[in-house]
Structure formats: structure tokens, C-alpha cells
Amino acid sequence: MGKEPESQNTFTLINDKTGESYKLPVLDGSTGPSVIDVQKLYAQTGHFTYDPGFTSTGSCESRLTYIDGDKGILMHRGYSIEDLAEHSSYLEVCHALLYGDLPNKQEMEKFERNITYHTMVHEQINYFYRGFRRDAHPMAVMCGIVGALSAFYHDSLDIWDPEQREISAHRLIAKIPTLAAMTYKYNVGQPFMYPRNDLSYAENFLYMCFGLPAEPYKVNPVLASAMDKILILHADHEQNASTSTVRLAGSSQANPFTCISSGIASLWGPAHGGANQAVLEMLDEIGDKKNIPEFIKRAKDKDDPFRLMGFGHRVYKNFDPRAAVLKKSCDQVLENLGVSDPRLELAMELERIALEDDYFVSRKLFPNVDFYSGIILKAMGFPTSMFTVLFAVARTVGWISQWKEMIEEPTLRIGRPRQLYTGPVARPYVPMDKRK
Ligand code: SDX
């Protein structure tokens, strides 16, 4: 990244108790909200900022992805998600996130060849799977397997070497579908399928998941196209929980494979990427349209931990543009497969009722990316437990691109948040025989 963003403006902070005032520089981005630079606040005032959940905190400067939650805008390197989903391919989006722009023909051929020829994994990794129970949750397996990649690729762990950063990024983007497919095959007790270099990224993934050594596998072009679109829609999303986890892990100079493994761990949570699995489980629990009012009531009840999964978003307060694209794709996939999933009708009725209910409207809780994705993935033949793994496959390029951007900053510093301490103040040690 270049020099510090220019400061054209300042905020004055006044301590009403002491009358002291402090000028804080305002930094402007290329679009979106400006930021108040508080890096020197503690040195100047002896105070920290306080923002649990980081609702008003920018953790970094980035050029990858921009979201306008009020307008439902999502763009990668300036390209709208609608345009990318309509006209681009996942590997093109990977190139744009990694290198800053969509590739020209030569760049695309070179990038695609690099990724294709890194899809195989070290044969020894096959034995790793045998240590897991067959019924282990696929995300548990992925956390372990991806973290273990750093035990294999000693030649690309030096984060200060640009070539090693690039090869690690290519290895992760190329191998994550292979590992995800192996995780699925291990879970269902079928043999691993080796990647095929004659298939596209999405076709290869479907082949490795659903192909069998006993017979030829014919990729359904509609499913391959839908898979590629799903990957594009989940590729990156600013500083969400899992991306922030990857950045914080990377700020300690940990190797990229373990950083991506930490992102997978964070994504697993049902409040984050685990929501796509939770949406299907919720729809199955609701079962019938007549039960919707009871679940809406529960979602509003503060004493009930139940939340309407697939609804709400920290940033989108209008609509999640990815949900709109996925809903359209859902109809196409179900029609092509001749599948009529009653859960789709149930989901649409749930959305209709929720969006007429003031509780959801007043809190700007709209369907997010996870609300429809599970229905498509189910129709494609994936078990619910694999949904978040697919999210991780897609998001790996976002994580590694954000990691690469951070490492390439001239001012890389370890992330070290502070706190508001409200625990016991200093007190003497009490010997056991004196304790109550
Ligand atoms: C992803 O950050 C990203 O970009 C994430 C993501 C990405 O691409 O990386 O977009 C992917 O994680 C999408 C979100 C998937 N999660 C879910 O669908 C789980 C259900 N949603 C909620 O858990 C929640 O909406 C969050 C976690 C998504 C957002 O939580 P926030 O921003 O912290 O909001 P909040 O919990 O402060 O809620 C504000 C109010 C509260 O009510 P009040 O205290 O004001 O009365 O809205 C209520 C909440 O109780 N609320 C919900 C609700 N979500 C929020 N009530 C019922 N159902 C819900 N789903």
C-alpha cells in the first residue's frame, strides 16, 4: 500500500472534565465514510476508544472490497457484484482480488494454468483424513487439514518473500476445493477423486465431490455455472469476522496456511458462515408454513436464543445484493433439476412475513447471503454439513488476498487491542487457611 491517506480535515475532542482539547486527523478514502485517525489518541489523552464488536471501528486500510450497507452495494476492486456474477468467472475474480484488476487474455491463461497445476495435494495428506472419525463435522476436518498444509510446504512459508507469498496464495486457491471434496468423500465413505486438469475450477470441484471411479461423470453445465456464481458471491466481504481473524493471525507473522485455518474456524460459527447450515436446519424445524408465526414470535423474544437464521447483517441495512442474485440462481437450478424443494416456498413465505413485520423492518433485518444458498446447495446434492465448507472454499481467495495486502503494507504491526478493565483492583494474596 502507498503512503498514509491524506488528512484534509480534523475532529476536535474536548475532555469536558479538564477542558483539554485534542485534534484528531480525518482520513478520506476513495469512497465511503471517512475515518477519524485515533492511532495517537492514547498517547495524547491516556484514553482508549471502546467499541466491542467493532461497529464503528475501521481496523485497516484496504483496496479490495467495498460495501455500502444502506444502498446494498458490494464491489470488488470497483466491479459490482452483480456485474461479476453476471459476466465474470470465479478465477477472474480471484485474479482481481489478488492482483488488483480483471486479467487480460494472457494473464488469465497464465493464472488459470498456475491454479490448475496446483490442484493436487501431497499424497501423504490422504493419510491425515484417516485420523478423523467418518462422521466428524466437515468444518472440523477442514480446520485441521488446512492448518496442516504448513507441514508440507516448507518452501513457501517465508512471508517476506513475494514469490513465496504468491505460491502460497496459488496453492491455497488451487487446493482448497480438492481438500473440501476429499473431506466430503471421507465423510460419505467414498474414494477420493483426483483433480482433472481438463475441467474448469467449478466443474473440477463438482467432479471431485460427485464423481465415482466406477463410472464416467458428466458435469451438468447449469450446476457448474451455479457453483461458479456461488463461489463469486462468497469470495470476499471487507473485514468480516473470519477475515479479521485471518488478519489478526497474520499480523503476528504466522504462516498463511495457519492464518487461513484460523479463518475457517471463525467462519464455522452460526452467526457467520455457519448460518447457511443453520438456515436449512431452521426451515426443517419450521416444517410447514402454518408454523412460521410461532418461529417469528420466538425470534423476537429476547428470552429465547432463537434467531431467524439467514436474516440480518452488521453492514447491510437495506438488502444483501448477494441474496438477490442467489434467489434468482435458486430458481434456475431447481427448474433445471426439476426439483421442487418445499423449503424454497417455505423460505419465500418466511421472507414475506418477516419483511411485513415491524420488528424486522425497524431493525433492518433482511435476508442475507446465507438465506438462499443452502437451498441451492441442497438441490445440488451437498449435505447440510458441507454448506459452510463451500463458503470456506469460496472465501479462501478473500482471506489470502486480504492477508497478502496486509503483509505488503510498509507498516505491518502486530494487532494488539486494549480493553476497559472492570475486574478487581490490586489486593494481597490470601493463604489457603485464611480463605472463607
Ligand atoms: C455472514 O460480516 C459479514 O460480512 C458476514 C458475511 C460475509 O460475507 O462474511 O456477510 C457472512 O456472516 C452473514 C450473516 C449470517 N448470520 C446469520 O444469518 C445469523 C442470524 N443473524 C444474526 O445473528 C445477526 O443479524 C448478525 C450476527 C448477522 C448481525 O448481528 P449484529 O450486527 O451484531 O446485530 P445485533 O445482534 O446487534 O442485532 C440488532 C437487533 C437486536 O435486537 P435489539 O437488541 O435491537 O432489540 O436485531 C436483532 C437483535 O436481537 N436481530 C435479530 C436477528 N439479527 C439481529 N432478531 C432475530 N433474528 C435475527 N436473525
Side-chain angles (χ1 to χ4, degrees):
M1 196 100 39
K3 57 187 181 11
E4 280 282 305
E6 288 298 309
S7 167
Q8 311 296 334
N9 182 12
T10 57
F11 264 53
T12 301
L13 193 61
I14 295 173
N15 182 331
D16 291 333
K17 211 162 135 189
T18 64
E20 290 165 293
S21 68
Y22 309 91
K23 282 216 177 301
L24 297 170
V26 172
L27 305 178
D28 300 324
S30 47
T31 184
S34 297
V35 298
I36 300 171
D37 182 348
V38 294
Q39 296 181 78
K40 298 190 173 58
L41 182 76
Y42 180 59
Q44 288 176 349
T45 69
H47 288 65
F48 298 137
T49 60
Y50 183 64
D51 185 16
F54 310 119
T55 42
S56 304
T57 295
S59 61
C60 63
E61 179 190 339
S62 182
R63 302 169 182 232
L64 269 73
T65 293
Y66 174 71
I67 300 172
D68 181 324
D70 294 325
K71 296 186 186 130
I73 289 172
L74 165 59
M75 55 185 189
H76 298 308
R77 301 288 192 182
Y79 302 104
S80 78
I81 194 65
E82 291 85 354
D83 277 353
L84 293 173
E86 184 68 28
H87 306 297
S88 190
S89 70
Y90 180 67
L91 279 191
E92 272 202 353
V93 173
C94 289
H95 187 282
L97 286 169
L98 265 181
Y99 298 110
D101 214 330
L102 293 171
N104 61 31
K105 195 168 179 308
Q106 291 71 24
E107 289 164 337
M108 186 59 188
E109 282 166 6
K110 180 172 175 251
F111 183 64
E112 189 152 28
R113 191 171 51 254
N114 274 337
I115 297 300
T116 300
Y117 285 88
H118 279 102
T119 48
M120 282 184 72
V121 294
H122 192 293
E123 196 65 7
Q124 203 64 15
I125 287 181
N126 293 1
Y127 303 109
F128 247 102
Y129 282 85
R130 295 183 187 170
F132 292 104
R133 286 175 45 151
R134 288 275 181 179
D135 62 352
H137 193 290
M139 283 297 276
V141 176
M142 288 296 284
C143 287
I145 291 287
V146 173
L149 291 179
S150 43
F152 288 85
Y153 298 113
H154 303 136
D155 64 339
S156 68
L157 298 181
D158 176 359
I159 66 170
W160 305 117
D161 177 342
E163 280 178 20
Q164 293 192 36
R165 287 201 295 270
E166 183 172 50
I167 179 73
S168 290
H170 288 178
R171 279 172 166 157
L172 280 157
I173 294 167
K175 297 178 195 305
I176 201 83
T178 308
L179 296 171
M182 291 170 76
T183 299
Y184 170 59
K185 286 302 201 186
Y186 186 74
N187 180 262
V188 295
Q190 290 179 357
F192 297 143
M193 299 296 284
Y194 286 97
R196 277 178 43 187
N197 294 345
D198 62 320
L199 297 177
S200 73
Y201 193 89
E203 289 172 342
N204 202 13
F205 180 56
L206 291 174
Y207 165 72
M208 292 188 287
C209 287
F210 300 122
L212 292 167
E215 59 188 27
Y217 176 78
K218 192 170 171 358
V219 178
N220 177 332
V222 172
L223 297 194
S225 161
M227 189 74 244
D228 198 71
K229 195 169 284 188
I230 288 171
L231 294 171
I232 291 173
L233 293 170
H234 290 77
D236 191 45
H237 214 238
E238 281 193 2
Q239 307 311 318
N240 58 84
S242 53
T243 298
S244 299
T245 302
V246 169
R247 277 183 172 259
L248 197 54
S251 74
S252 75
Q253 302 172 25
N255 75 67
F257 302 103
T258 47
C259 293
I260 300 306
S261 174
S262 71
I264 294 174
S266 171
L267 186 75
W268 192 1
H272 191 12
N276 55 17
Q277 172 175 343
V279 167
L280 255 289
E281 289 164 352
M282 175 186 73
L283 292 173
D284 287 340
E285 195 185 354
I286 293 174
D288 188 289
K289 289 180 187 177
K290 68 177 184 323
N291 300 326
I292 290 178
E294 176 216 331
F295 281 84
I296 295 272
K297 186 163 167 284
R298 283 185 57 196
K300 299 185 208 175
D301 179 357
K302 294 300 166 217
D303 297 326
D304 188 329
F306 174 77
R307 288 285 175 273
L308 219 45
M309 302 318 281
F311 269 76
H313 198 278
R314 172 61 59 75
V315 177
Y316 291 121
K317 297 305 175 191
N318 187 331
F319 67 96
D320 182 337
R322 302 167 296 176
V325 176
L326 274 172
K327 186 171 172 182
K328 208 167 90 185
S329 194
C330 203
D331 294 335
Q332 288 161 356
V333 167
L334 294 183
E335 191 190 335
N336 172 272
L337 293 173
V339 169
S340 62
D341 187 338
R343 280 175 288 225
L344 179 59
E345 284 95 68
L346 191 56
M348 291 170 76
E349 180 62 5
L350 180 61
E351 179 186 11
R352 186 188 66 76
I353 294 176
L355 297 189
E356 288 172 358
D357 185 304
D358 182 56
Y359 172 93
F360 295 92
V361 176
S362 62
R363 290 169 177 78
K364 302 184 177 190
L365 303 175
F366 299 89
N368 57 45
V369 66
D370 295 298
F371 190 63
Y372 286 103
S373 58
I375 294 167
I376 302 178
L377 297 175
K378 199 79 185 168
M380 287 177 153
F382 290 104
T384 311
S385 63
M386 274 293 291
F387 289 3
T388 312
V389 170
L390 301 184
F391 196 147
V393 169
R395 186 54 58 88
T396 291
V397 67
W399 289 329
I400 198 64
S401 301
Q402 297 265 357
W403 170 86
K404 181 171 170 285
E405 180 180 67
M406 177 186 70
I407 298 295
E408 288 168 358
E409 278 175 22
T411 57
L412 175 67
R413 301 182 71 196
I414 189 165
R416 182 30 174 111
R418 301 304 302 270
Q419 62 179 11
L420 173 67
Y421 178 71
T422 54
V425 293
R427 55 181 171 161
Y429 179 80
V430 179
M432 179 63 86
D433 59 359
K434 296 274 184 303
R435 294 174 205 163
K436 294 182 188 68

